[in-house]
C-alpha cells in the first residue's frame, strides 16, 4: 500500500528517504554502471585522502550518474585490515616510479627521505595501484553483473 503525497506535493519522511535512496542508487544497476561504480570506488579508496573517500565518491557518482552505494562500498578497500598493505604497496610502487628502485624501510632512510618524500611516493603509487585495482574491479563487476542479468532473463523466460 502506498500513501499518496500530502497536499502541495510534499513527501513525508518515508517518501523523502525512498527518493534519496533512489537518487543514491542512480537507477538500474547495469553491467556498465556496476563496473564504473566499482572502478570509481576502488580508485578513490586507494588515494591517501582518508576521511574524504565517501564525499569524493558522492561527488563523482552524482556527476556521472553512478551508484553511490556500490562505489562507497568499493572505496572501503582502505579499511584498517587492508590499509597497511595498501599503503606499503603504494609507497613501493611510487618509489619504483620516482626513484627507479624500491624504498628501504629503515630509520636512516626515513629521516633522509622525510615525510614529503614518502607522501610523494604514496601519491604516485596510489594513482598506479588505484588504476590497476579499478580496472580489475571493474572487469569483475561487469562480469558479475552480466551473469546476474543473464540469469534473471533466463528466469523470466523459463
Amino acid at each position: 500500500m502506498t500513501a499518496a503525497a500530502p497536499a502541495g506535493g510534499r513527501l513525508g519522511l518515508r517518501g523523502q528517504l525512498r527518493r534519496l535512496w533512489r537518487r543514491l542508487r542512480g537507477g538500474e544497476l547495469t553491467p556498465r554502471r556496476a563496473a564504473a561504480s566499482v572502478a570509481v570506488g576502488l580508485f578513490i579508496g586507494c588515494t591517501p585522502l582518508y576521511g574524504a573517500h565517501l564525499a569524493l565518491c558522492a561527488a563523482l557518482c552524482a556527476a556521472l550518474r553512478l551508484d553511490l552505494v556500490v562505489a562507497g562500498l568499493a572505496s572501503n578497500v582502505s579499511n584498517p585490515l587492508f590499509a597497511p598493505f595498501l599503503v606499503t604497496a603504494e609507497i613501493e610502487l611510487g618509489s619504483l616510479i620516482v626513484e627507479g628502485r624500491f624504498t628501504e624501510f629503515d630509520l636512516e632512510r626515513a629521516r633522509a627521505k622525510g615525510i614529503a618524500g614518502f607522501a610523494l611516493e604514496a601519491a604516485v603509487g596510489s594513482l598506479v595501484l588505484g588504476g590497476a585495482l579499478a580496472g580489475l574491479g571493474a572487469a569483475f563487476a561487469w562480469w558479475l553483473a552480466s551473469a546476474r542479468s543473464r540469469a534473471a532473463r533466463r528466469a523470466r523466460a523459463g
Side-chain angles (χ1 to χ4, degrees):
M1 180 188 305
T2 59
R10 296 179 59 172
L11 296 174
L13 178 60
R14 185 180 227 172
Q16 289 175 344
L17 290 174
R18 195 174 299 126
R19 195 160 129 204
L20 175 62
W21 181 252
R22 280 194 306 267
R23 177 70 176 126
L24 291 175
R25 297 306 305 260
E28 181 187 352
L29 193 60
T30 63
R32 175 185 261 167
R33 287 186 69 247
S37 298
V38 166
V40 163
L42 285 174
F43 185 80
I44 289 173
C46 286
T47 63
L49 302 171
Y50 304 109
H53 290 162
L54 186 58
L56 290 169
C57 283
L60 278 174
C61 286
L64 301 173
R65 295 196 178 280
L66 297 177
D67 193 314
L68 175 59
V69 175
V70 171
L73 288 171
S75 75
N76 282 310
V77 69
S78 58
N79 65 58
L81 182 63
F82 296 120
F85 303 106
L86 199 61
V87 170
T88 301
E90 290 168 356
I91 290 172
E92 290 292 351
L93 279 170
S95 178
L96 188 60
I97 292 167
V98 172
E99 295 183 7
R101 62 187 169 99
F102 291 112
T103 193
E104 297 172 24
F105 284 106
D106 63 21
L107 191 55
E108 183 179 317
R109 179 92 171 132
R111 284 185 182 139
K113 188 176 283 198
I115 191 124
F118 282 116
L120 172 66
E121 291 172 355
V124 170
S126 73
L127 296 176
V128 174
L129 187 61
L133 286 179
L136 289 171
F140 180 71
W142 183 86
W143 172 80
L144 191 63
S146 294
R148 187 173 178 218
S149 178
R150 284 191 301 274
R153 281 195 302 271
R154 279 194 302 269
R156 282 192 304 266

